[in-house]
Amino acid sequence: MSSSSCGLSPSLRSRLFNSSATRFLVPPARPNQYRSRCEMNRRGFAFRGILASGVSVMGSSLVTEPTEGVERLPFKPEGYNFWTWRGHKIHYVVQGEGLPIVLIHGFGASAFHWRYNIPELAKKYKVYAVDLLGFGWSEKAIIEYDAMVWRDQVVDFLKEIVREPAVLVGNSLGGFTALVAAVGIPEQVVGLALLNSAGQFGNPNEKMNESEESVLQKFVLKPLKEVFQRVVLGFLFWQAKQPARIESVLKSVYVNSSNVDDYLVKSITMPAADPNAGEVYYRMMTRFMLNQSKYTLDSALSELRCPLLLLWGDLDPWVGPTKANRIKEFYPNTTLVNLQAGHCPHDEVPELVNKSLMDWLSSLKPEASLQTL
């Protein structure tokens, strides 16, 4: 996103800021403050992007107190388990025994964002938490990033690692990834839980204007645009890593600011050590972020065949309860649980999320669900 983003047309801006990748840790806009909102969007956009480049791995010296009464996954700087997918190194955590539960993080986060959920769920289920390609401990691969890349990764993870019927659980971008993966391999997904999922409903009145590139556009204007984007995004990448900015943005998304602990801030502010981090960041910001309108919630939900649980932080400044209500209306086989939390309820109110998820899981009948597919 360049510094001219606030000059985007309303329709393009709507598609951009409703895309699956944009829903992670940026403060809500204040009405009637146009200049501030534009400045905030540029910084928030860059902040979300730096997380894609691998800064979510923290140092081992960090010590924080876990949420009271909730067990926390031990942090291992070297990671837990690794799987090779299409030649790329993918990180995942696995604990417990029973019906498999696969947890999928949001944009910029990692498997460790489920730190308060994995130990509790593992008491009754076999819990997996996977780092999507380009995030967390997974490889920062130089590829053409697209929502369907992560769908394919999760589908293959189910086939090669899980290898039995499972429940998918996703937050933000991870929610949309879980949804399209559930559609992609319906015979192996017996339930789907979304926490403040990314994605948008399609607009049947919107027509995409597609035309062939002229010689001028292809060989002159497009290269100049890419050079400009690299310069601007390089600066924003550096700016968005500042600890004060990170903490401020986090506190705007977590309603209870006490949950913005040293680990969370440090895990985001640590510089990316991977030599590919900058290029991954650039590709996600320019190629993935502006190409999401063709993937819609309604198209995916129309093909879904399993029970759906919505665990929704109603105080989320980006994805409020209106979207949850619309999903439930569109897909009747839905259970909706409203929570007084922000965009990441699993980390902000893990006790409530764990209990609601466990209650819903206990009501699932995997064999019956598979027979109806």
Side-chain angles (χ1 to χ4, degrees), residues 20-72:
S20 56
T22 59
R23 295 301 186 183
F24 193 83
L25 308 181
V26 58
R30 296 179 181 179
N32 303 321
Q33 292 186 348
Y34 184 77
R35 181 176 180 275
S36 298
R37 183 173 67 249
C38 293
E39 180 180 45
M40 174 201 66
N41 284 344
R42 289 195 295 271
R43 293 176 178 175
F45 190 88
F47 170 72
R48 290 189 296 276
I50 67 165
L51 300 173
S53 57
V55 298
S56 59
V57 180
M58 69 169 209
S60 59
S61 61
L62 185 64
V63 177
T64 59
E65 292 297 322
T67 297
E68 185 177 354
V70 180
E71 186 179 353
R72 188 179 66 193

Side-chain angles (χ1 to χ4, degrees), residues 49-203:
I50 67 165
L51 300 173
S53 57
V55 298
S56 59
V57 180
M58 69 169 209
S60 59
S61 61
L62 185 64
V63 177
T64 59
E65 292 297 322
T67 297
E68 185 177 354
V70 180
E71 186 179 353
R72 188 179 66 193
L73 179 74
F75 176 79
K76 293 185 178 181
E78 70 278 13
Y80 277 76
N81 304 281
F82 291 90
W83 162 58
T84 300
W85 177 68
R86 297 184 179 179
H88 304 302
K89 190 176 181 181
I90 302 297
H91 173 256
Y92 69 97
V93 178
V94 58
Q95 284 190 8
E97 295 295 335
L99 174 68
I101 312 298
V102 180
L103 307 175
I104 307 172
H105 62 80
F107 191 85
S110 68
F112 202 76
H113 204 198
W114 303 97
R115 52 187 172 165
Y116 296 121
N117 314 108
I118 295 171
E120 185 65 22
L121 295 174
K123 293 176 181 178
K124 290 188 64 177
Y125 302 97
K126 188 169 187 177
V127 182
Y128 296 87
V130 61
D131 283 349
L132 298 176
L133 186 66
F135 297 99
W137 282 261
S138 286
E139 184 178 337
K140 309 306 174 289
I142 304 301
I143 65 168
E144 297 301 318
Y145 283 93
D146 183 279
M148 299 302 106
V149 168
W150 295 313
R151 176 204 61 184
D152 293 346
Q153 178 193 334
V154 172
V155 166
D156 289 344
F157 185 80
L158 290 170
K159 291 178 180 178
E160 299 178 23
I161 301 298
V162 180
R163 294 185 292 184
E164 58 182 310
V167 173
L168 298 183
V169 181
N171 168 239
S172 192
L173 170 65
F176 188 77
T177 300
L179 171 60
V180 292
V183 170
I185 186 169
E187 68 275 10
Q188 201 170 332
V189 177
V190 298
L192 173 67
L194 305 180
L195 293 82
N196 294 66
S197 179
Q200 58 182 317
F201 282 88
N203 181 0

Side-chain angles (χ1 to χ4, degrees), residues 309-331:
L309 170 67
L310 301 177
L311 295 173
W312 219 264
D314 284 352
L315 304 180
D316 185 345
W318 309 320
V319 192
T322 300
K323 178 186 277 188
N325 293 332
R326 189 173 179 187
I327 292 173
K328 190 175 189 304
E329 181 180 353
F330 188 94
Y331 190 75

